Amino acid sequence: MNDNLKVKDIILKALKEDKETYDVTSEWLFDNQERSRARLIAKEEGILSGIDVFKDVFKVIDDSIVVSSALKEGESITKGQVIAEIEGSTKGILYGERTALNILQRMCGIATLTNACVKEVQNTKVKIVDTRKTAPGLRILDKIAVRAGGGFNHRFNLSDGVLIKDNHIKACGSISEAIKRVKSHAPHTLKVEIEVESVSEFLEAMNAKADIVMLDNMTLEDMKECVRLNQSNCTLEASGNMKLDRLHAVAGTGVDVISIGGLTHSVKALDISLRFE
């Protein structure tokens, strides 16, 4: 299933969730011929993400509904700015309003937070990446929003790459054994990443020829020591408790990547309203 089909599937499921049979309020207030115009207004500043998905919600409902916007994915929006104008069937606009806003507000919230994180590490080599801590069923949208904010995507799913975490290691017995088992199966095109929690574990992972080592919940001093010992053998990813006010200092240790679950698992939706004229 390609990305467009995945997005359409999300829209269809969300619309069905909101309208099991029909919208009783709108059905009893309006006939099929009534038309309205509305504006989509930002109530706070941020980064736009999901405008194309917003348009697609109404296209699925009624392709005669027109959503006009000159803004593009990843652009800045200001408080009070008109993001888009909508015109068409009154019942159709009302049916899609909540679903379209839910998706757009979440995606804008993710893009806005991601952008703030990216700005904290600007002028460094560090990439800000997401995780698989996404809302169930919404992963493709969450990850599109991260990119709109200037971040990068980690794995989309479990088949995208090897990531040996603490429970894998405990079940295998050791870091070296886990890497050995994986490398006996993995093709040369697939990178092997492993999570470690101390400098000694990092050395074991590096000596076992891991491609990427995730430094999980380490102090700044320990991260700096891993960077010193690494000498560019592995890509180093810092993770765990990566709050906005800590990112600049973490980037200063010399790591290559900072992964942040909070970009998607507990993001605050951007405040956006749809108002009829």
Side-chain angles (χ1 to χ4, degrees), residues 187-203:
H188 71 282
T189 55
L190 198 66
K191 290 186 177 182
V192 175
E193 179 171 9
I194 191 161
E195 176 184 274
V196 302
E197 297 178 348
S198 66
V199 175
S200 61
E201 287 184 352
F202 164 72
L203 285 171

Side-chain angles (χ1 to χ4, degrees), residues 108 112 133 198 273:
C108 287
T112 300
K133 294 178 181 178
S198 66
S273 291

Side-chain angles (χ1 to χ4, degrees), residues 125-259:
K125 68 174 182 177
V126 167
K127 289 183 176 180
I128 298 295
V129 306
D130 55 25
T131 71
R132 284 170 40 248
K133 294 178 181 178
T134 53
L138 300 181
R139 182 167 295 169
I140 184 68
L141 302 184
D142 285 2
K143 286 183 173 284
I144 288 171
V146 167
R147 295 200 300 271
F152 294 83
N153 297 143
H154 209 293
R155 298 184 299 171
F156 269 77
N157 54 58
L158 293 171
S159 62
D160 273 349
V162 174
L163 177 45
I164 304 167
K165 295 182 71 65
D166 55 347
N167 285 331
H168 296 114
I169 295 166
K170 287 176 183 175
C172 281
S174 72
I175 287 170
S176 299
E177 178 63 21
I179 293 174
K180 177 183 174 183
R181 290 187 191 184
V182 164
K183 282 189 172 285
S184 70
H185 295 282
H188 71 282
T189 55
L190 198 66
K191 290 186 177 182
V192 175
E193 179 171 9
I194 191 161
E195 176 184 274
V196 302
E197 297 178 348
S198 66
V199 175
S200 61
E201 287 184 352
F202 164 72
L203 285 171
E204 184 180 355
M206 183 179 71
N207 291 331
K209 307 299 182 185
D211 300 300
I212 308 166
V213 180
M214 179 189 291
L215 311 178
D216 186 48
N217 282 298
M218 283 194 185
T219 64
L220 294 175
E221 291 72 23
D222 281 353
M223 282 188 261
K224 287 177 183 176
E225 181 64 5
C226 290
V227 170
R228 186 187 70 80
L229 294 168
N230 183 45
Q231 298 180 350
S232 301
N233 284 310
C234 312
T235 298
L236 297 184
E237 175 183 335
S239 187
N241 192 34
M242 291 299 156
K243 304 296 185 183
L244 187 63
D245 60 1
R246 190 170 176 239
L247 298 182
H248 184 75
V250 173
T253 65
V255 296
D256 304 293
V257 175
I258 299 175
S259 56

Side-chain angles (χ1 to χ4, degrees), residues 118-126 248 251:
V118 169
K119 286 180 177 177
E120 282 294 309
V121 300
Q122 62 187 353
N123 302 320
T124 75
K125 68 174 182 177
V126 167
H248 184 75

